[in-house]
Amino acid sequence: VNVVLDFDNSYSWFTPKVVSYSVTVIPPSSQSAKRRRQSAKQAMDILEPVIEELSKQKQKLQDTLKSVDEELLVKVNAARNSFQAVQEAKHEFQQANAILERQKQKAEEFEQEYEQQKEQLSTVQTEIQDLQREIERLQNDLSDKKSQARQLKGSIAQVKQQMKETVNGIVQIQSSKLEAVQSTWTERTQDLRSKKLEAGALEQRRQSLLEEDETLQARLDEFYRQIDELQKRAADPHEQAATVG
């Protein structure tokens, strides 16, 4: 009688199994059974080394499966850690995107405020031009009245004083407005510089705006120079008398 025992572990290679079994042989009482025992004994003498070798191979296979299980567990833990790191990186990336969106919104708000300041600066520029036209008109009136200067010296002194006070008052008002605008502009420029790393795309725009500011400053300096000349002329009665003469 041949008995074949087949142990199948193909459905779960990564989980080790330990299988034990026992066989109880009840010897028969017949002579043929005795011959069978002798044959079986001889067969067992032959099969014992084979069984022992198979047992060793089985132990080696179990050790190999155990090491594979340990390696697989390490890899699974590493994969879990990697997945967690990816999730954290994804969360940080989302936070960075949110910060970038807020910075973009602040940049847009700053650009709107800058446009408003630019409009105010344009308004001040228009007022300065109106003031220049007013000064020119006063100069023309002064030229028309030069012929009457000998008879109206006292009146001219009063008119000069009034003109001087008027011009000084207007210049002070415009200078205050201009200083306020320039102060605001300076603060905004410093804020823009501090955000240079966060809004590098606005650098070229800022440079063009600074060039416009320098052009405006040059024009304002020229205007102040003309006002100073006018004040000097208005404050020097000898020069006016010489001109009238």
Side-chain angles (χ1 to χ4, degrees):
V1 177
N2 295 326
V3 178
V4 179
L5 300 177
D6 186 9
F7 300 97
D8 187 8
N9 192 32
S10 60
Y11 67 91
S12 179
W13 289 353
F14 297 107
T15 305
K17 307 291 190 305
V18 178
V19 180
S20 62
Y21 64 93
S22 63
V23 178
T24 303
V25 179
I26 300 175
S29 59
S30 62
Q31 188 67 25
S32 60
K34 184 176 180 180
R35 288 195 299 270
R36 288 180 180 177
R37 289 198 299 272
Q38 292 176 353
S39 299
K41 184 177 180 181
Q42 294 176 356
M44 287 298 297
D45 293 337
I46 297 173
L47 292 175
E48 278 181 357
V50 177
I51 293 172
E52 184 177 358
E53 182 66 24
L54 291 175
S55 297
K56 292 180 180 179
Q57 292 180 0
K58 177 183 177 182
Q59 184 64 34
K60 289 181 179 179
L61 181 60
Q62 288 179 349
D63 295 338
T64 303
L65 288 175
K66 184 177 180 181
S67 63
V68 169
D69 288 339
E70 293 176 353
E71 183 178 357
L72 180 62
L73 181 61
V74 171
K75 290 182 178 180
V76 168
N77 292 331
R80 288 177 180 174
N81 294 332
S82 299
F83 178 76
Q84 185 177 2
V86 168
Q87 292 295 327
E88 293 177 354
K90 184 178 179 181
H91 181 65
E92 292 178 356
F93 178 74
Q94 291 175 352
Q95 290 180 345
N97 280 336
I99 294 173
L100 181 59
E101 290 297 329
R102 289 195 295 270
Q103 294 297 333
K104 286 182 179 179
Q105 185 177 1
K106 290 181 179 179
E108 291 176 356
E109 292 176 355
F110 172 75
E111 187 174 358
Q112 292 177 357
E113 292 179 0
Y114 170 74
E115 291 297 332
Q116 293 177 357
Q117 295 296 332
K118 190 176 180 180
E119 291 178 358
Q120 293 180 1
L121 191 60
S122 178
T123 303
V124 172
Q125 214 171 6
T126 302
E127 293 178 356
I128 291 173
Q129 292 175 356
D130 294 339
L131 179 60
Q132 287 177 340
R133 287 193 292 269
E134 180 68 18
I135 291 173
E136 290 176 358
R137 186 184 65 80
L138 292 174
Q139 286 177 345
N140 293 331
D141 292 341
L142 184 62
S143 298
D144 294 338
K145 294 180 179 180
K146 282 182 179 180
S147 59
Q148 303 174 5
R150 293 182 181 274
Q151 300 174 0
L152 300 174
K153 286 184 179 181
S155 299
I156 287 175
Q158 294 178 357
V159 169
K160 286 181 180 180
Q161 185 65 26
Q162 292 177 357
M163 286 176 59
K164 184 177 180 181
E165 293 176 356
T166 302
V167 171
N168 289 335
I170 294 173
V171 169
Q172 288 178 357
I173 293 173
Q174 298 303 325
S175 298
S176 299
K177 291 182 179 179
L178 185 59
E179 287 175 358
V181 172
Q182 287 178 342
S183 176
T184 304
W185 167 251
T186 302
E187 292 176 357
R188 295 303 180 183
T189 302
Q190 291 176 353
D191 186 47
L192 181 62
R193 288 176 180 172
S194 66
K195 294 179 180 177
K196 183 177 180 181
L197 295 177
E198 302 173 352
L202 297 175
E203 181 64 22
Q204 295 180 354
R205 186 177 184 86
R206 187 183 68 81
Q207 291 293 336
S208 62
L209 294 175
L210 287 174
E211 291 176 359
E212 293 178 3
D213 182 67
E214 290 176 357
T215 303
L216 178 60
Q217 186 65 39
R219 295 179 64 184
L220 289 175
D221 292 338
E222 180 65 21
F223 169 67
Y224 287 144
R225 187 183 64 79
Q226 293 177 1
I227 289 176
D228 290 336
E229 291 179 358
L230 179 61
Q231 288 178 351
K232 289 179 180 179
R233 291 178 183 178
D236 192 355
H238 297 290
E239 185 180 353
Q240 294 292 335
T243 304
V244 173

